[in-house]
Amino acid sequence: MRAIVALPLTLAALLLAACNAQEAPGGSDAVPPADAPPPAAETPAAAEFKTDFGLRGTEPFWSVDIKGGEMTLTRPEPPAVKATGVTFAYIDGHGVWTGQADGKLMVATLTKGDCSDGMSDLKYPYVAEVKLGAETLKGCGFKAGEQPKEGE
């Protein structure tokens, strides 16, 4: 009996929600008001992180490539560790990518700021931290295709 009563209430709630949805003439989505704040992931600061990145670290040597929906951790000893189901979030000035790799949580965090790998004269535009399970790797980052080169 409860299911019969709940069904009309559920349908009424769905219809009410549909009535409140904003549509432009012709049925397309309505344009938000000019003074509406942009979604959090669309702020200029967050947009800076919406690209592919390379992260590098020393002692021990490691690299993480963030490309599309994947992160790949490579070290001198194989095999590489690939994280899948990678999601991106912009949190308090940091770009944060999270995924699963070999049953462990992999989290890569990038922060805008000068960084040195400690072994060369290269200057990187981002500070990087990668966590794989209980292990933490610290290093530097750059946008894909913009890796610093010696003498720059």
Side-chain angles (χ1 to χ4, degrees):
M1 182 71 177
R2 286 186 191 169
I4 294 172
V5 172
L7 183 59
L9 292 175
T10 302
L11 288 174
L14 288 172
L15 289 171
L16 182 59
C19 289
N20 288 332
Q22 295 183 2
E23 283 187 3
S28 62
D29 290 337
V31 177
D35 61 348
E42 299 301 320
T43 64
E48 176 178 354
F49 292 96
K50 298 287 234 159
T51 188
D52 298 337
F53 279 91
L55 287 58
R56 305 291 183 261
T58 58
E59 299 185 30
F61 288 102
W62 59 271
S63 69
V64 169
D65 291 315
I66 301 171
K67 186 171 183 170
E70 294 184 345
M71 286 189 291
T72 304
L73 170 63
T74 307
R75 304 175 199 221
E77 68 281 349
V81 178
K82 187 172 283 194
T84 58
V86 175
T87 59
F88 171 80
Y90 181 74
I91 304 169
D92 296 329
H94 309 285
V96 181
W97 293 263
T98 306
Q100 289 292 318
D102 293 340
K104 298 177 185 173
L105 182 65
M106 181 187 279
V107 179
T109 304
L110 273 179
T111 306
K112 182 103 172 125
D114 294 333
C115 185
S116 171
D117 62 17
M119 297 190 76
S120 71
D121 292 329
L122 299 179
K123 301 293 182 217
Y124 295 84
Y126 299 90
V127 177
E129 180 178 277
V130 177
K131 292 185 179 186
L132 179 60
E135 181 180 19
T136 300
L137 302 167
K138 295 187 182 257
C140 303
F142 56 93
K143 290 181 180 182
E146 298 179 11
Q147 181 171 359
K149 295 177 178 41
E150 294 282 345
E152 289 185 356

